[in-house]
Each structure stands twice: as C-alpha cells, then as structure tokens.
Amino acid sequence: MQNLKKWKELEDAGNILDKGNNEENDVSGWRSFRPIHIREKCIDCMICWSVCPDNAVISGDGKFIKFDYTKCKGCLICLNECPVNAIRSEKEK
Ligand code: SF4
Ligand code: SF4
C-alpha cells in the first residue's frame, strides 16, 4: 500500500484567505451580453443592486448610478428582476 497521508495531515483546501477577492478581478471577459441601463424608465427601486451577485451595480443617494463593467459577468439577473424593464442587454463585440 502507498504511503498516503492521513486526513489530518492534508493541507487545508477551499479556504478564502483574503477578503474582497472579487474587488481586484476584472471579469469583463466572461460576458456574452452586457446589461444596459435605460435612465428614462428607471424608478430607482434598487432591486438590481440587491440581486446582483457581483456587486456590479453602483448606487448613490439611493439611486442607480451605473454598472461597473469590470465586475459584471453578464448573468442578466438584474435585467430579469427589474420591474419596469429599465435594463436591456447588448451582445458583447
Ligand atoms: S431594478 Fe430597474 S428600476 Fe430598479 S433601480 Fe434597477 S434599473 Fe432602475
Ligand atoms: S448582469 Fe449580472 S453581474 Fe452584471 S450587473 Fe446584472 S446582475 Fe450584476
């Protein structure tokens, strides 16, 4: 039998040792589509901000400001959850 390590001797794995990892990553290359905000339709309900899994919706004074396209992976959850269709999608070039 091979000389295998016992489980208590294995190195830790799957640990996130640094906080805010995604803050430092540009994930824009992951997108097939990008969300586009339509200011005229937006009622600043901030549902898009609350559902975005990547902290890619920038808000200020309780209002939608812009998408942070370096953090946005293009999942389009924001588009699907916006109650007034104030977000459309555009294919990445
Ligand atoms: S969910 Fe739609 S209406 Fe609400 S803040 Fe976002 S874009 Fe505006
Ligand atoms: S497409 Fe996805 S990642 Fe990008 S802003 Fe909308 S919810 Fe966030």
Side-chain angles (χ1 to χ4, degrees), residues 12-14 20-21 33-35 37 46 51 58 61 65 68 79 82:
D12 290 340
N21 308 47
F33 291 87
R34 67 166 52 200
H37 185 234
M46 301 316 297
V51 298
I58 309 298
D61 290 333
I65 302 291
D68 180 343
L79 180 151
C82 176

Side-chain angles (χ1 to χ4, degrees), residues 7-61:
W7 73 270
K8 284 189 177 176
E9 296 167 350
L10 296 173
E11 293 80 19
D12 290 340
N15 290 336
I16 298 173
L17 301 176
D18 300 318
K19 63 179 181 178
N21 308 47
N22 195 38
E23 292 295 314
E24 295 150 21
N25 295 330
D26 181 340
V27 296
S28 54
W30 294 29
R31 280 193 310 270
S32 300
F33 291 87
R34 67 166 52 200
I36 307 285
H37 185 234
I38 306 168
R39 172 37 71 197
E40 310 83 74
K41 290 186 178 178
C42 179
I43 56 174
D44 294 305
C45 66
M46 301 316 297
I47 289 174
C48 56
W49 175 83
S50 67
V51 298
C52 175
D54 291 302
N55 206 20
V57 176
I58 309 298
S59 67
D61 290 333

